[in-house]
Amino acid sequence: MKKNILLAVIPLLLVSCSQKITRDMQYPKMYEEKPVSIVIMPPINQTQHVEAKDYFYTTMFAPLCEKGYYVFSPLLTMELFQSESAYDAEQFIEADLSQFRNVLGADAAMFTIIKSWKRYFSPNGKITPPPKRNNIGGKLTVDVEYILRSTKTNETLYRREGNIKVDTSVSGGGGGVFGALVNLAATAISTATTDKVIAGRRCTAYVLSDMPVGKYDTELYGKDQKLPAGKSFVKATVK
């Protein structure tokens, strides 16, 4: 009898293991509430790079807009947060968010936690930590967690973390010592720019790639429920 029951259960287990997790299964509350507008909260910075909070904040705007949401201007909301003593998002990440709905009309608030922000320089293809006070880097590794919470129900609608390595190295200066110096200088310029803008956008775009789209994405809105959802933690290299 027990053997027959076991034989009957095994196929069910195999089927369930082979099923892909879809977006409506992973993020059901996104489809229930259907948020339209998002306010970006100041990032919670857990790193030693104090400047990461401000410049990463501005990089969130474009990727969320591209996902089909109305996103409140980071510059205007930052002024509001500072004037209302709301610059530290730590005090709101688990608190009642109704005030952001009442004042701004936002349907949801996007929180980010910057857990790591590391630069690496790669001479001759070998990755090593850069010397102190040196901003040159061939690779930048960012670990950020994204949490979207409803301002209506305070529920978490979307949550995903990414450990993203951004390749900022530049090649094309030719061979020899001169070519190496050209590549080194180009990489320094590239990394200086990428640190502040491009890396943040690339990280956000990659991690939020499985986030259900908003109503301003006229092609996929209401049609992406059965698309595959990603893992809650993703690790990748992007260029």
Side-chain angles (χ1 to χ4, degrees):
M1 183 66 177
K2 291 184 178 179
K3 183 178 181 180
N4 292 335
I5 294 176
L6 182 61
L7 292 175
V9 170
I10 289 177
L12 295 177
L13 292 176
L14 293 176
V15 171
S16 63
C17 290
S18 63
Q19 287 180 341
K20 292 183 178 179
I21 303 298
T22 57
R23 296 185 185 182
D24 59 349
M25 296 168 61
Q26 186 90 312
Y27 313 113
K29 295 186 183 300
M30 286 288 289
Y31 294 100
E32 292 174 11
E33 295 203 19
K34 298 181 176 63
V36 175
S37 58
I38 296 177
V39 58
I40 305 172
M41 302 298 294
I44 298 172
N45 187 13
Q46 296 181 344
T47 76
Q48 295 181 347
H49 296 276
V50 294
E51 74 279 6
K53 179 172 182 172
D54 288 333
Y55 61 66
F56 189 79
Y57 178 71
T58 61
T59 67
M60 294 285 297
F61 181 79
L64 285 172
C65 287
E66 291 170 358
K67 293 295 293 185
Y69 293 94
Y70 175 83
V71 185
F72 292 89
S73 167
L75 295 178
L76 296 179
T77 51
M78 178 62 81
E79 291 182 1
L80 175 64
F81 291 149
Q82 291 176 336
S83 64
E84 298 296 327
S85 300
Y87 182 65
D88 295 323
E90 292 91 333
Q91 60 183 314
F92 298 103
I93 193 168
E94 295 182 357
D96 178 31
L97 300 178
S98 59
Q99 58 184 303
F100 297 102
R101 184 178 186 85
N102 298 333
V103 176
L104 296 173
D107 297 318
M110 175 63 80
F111 292 85
T112 51
I113 304 175
I114 306 174
K115 299 182 177 181
S116 178
W117 193 278
K118 299 178 181 178
R119 302 185 190 93
Y120 296 90
F121 175 55
S122 51
N124 300 322
K126 184 178 181 181
I127 307 299
T128 57
K132 292 182 179 180
R133 299 183 182 180
N134 186 352
N135 290 329
I136 297 175
K139 292 186 184 297
L140 177 69
T141 300
V142 184
D143 192 314
V144 183
E145 183 176 11
Y146 299 78
I147 305 170
L148 184 69
R149 292 187 58 214
S150 168
T151 59
K152 181 180 179 180
T153 63
N154 292 313
E155 295 279 355
T156 296
L157 308 179
Y158 180 92
R159 188 174 199 143
R160 199 178 190 206
E161 181 177 347
N163 183 285
I164 308 299
K165 182 179 293 183
V166 182
D167 187 350
T168 63
S169 59
V170 177
S171 182
V177 176
F178 178 74
L181 291 174
V182 171
N183 289 339
L184 181 64
T187 296
I189 296 172
S190 173
T191 301
T193 303
T194 302
D195 271 1
K196 297 181 179 180
V197 181
I198 302 175
R201 289 181 180 174
R202 288 177 182 173
C203 177
T204 298
Y206 192 92
V207 177
L208 300 186
S209 59
D210 74 335
M211 180 178 175
V213 301
K215 67 175 292 185
Y216 297 109
D217 185 326
T218 56
E219 293 185 5
L220 283 180
Y221 183 66
K223 304 175 184 177
D224 63 351
Q225 291 92 327
K226 300 306 176 183
L227 291 179
K231 297 180 179 179
S232 58
F233 178 84
V234 59
K235 190 173 184 178
T237 298
V238 298
K239 189 172 178 66

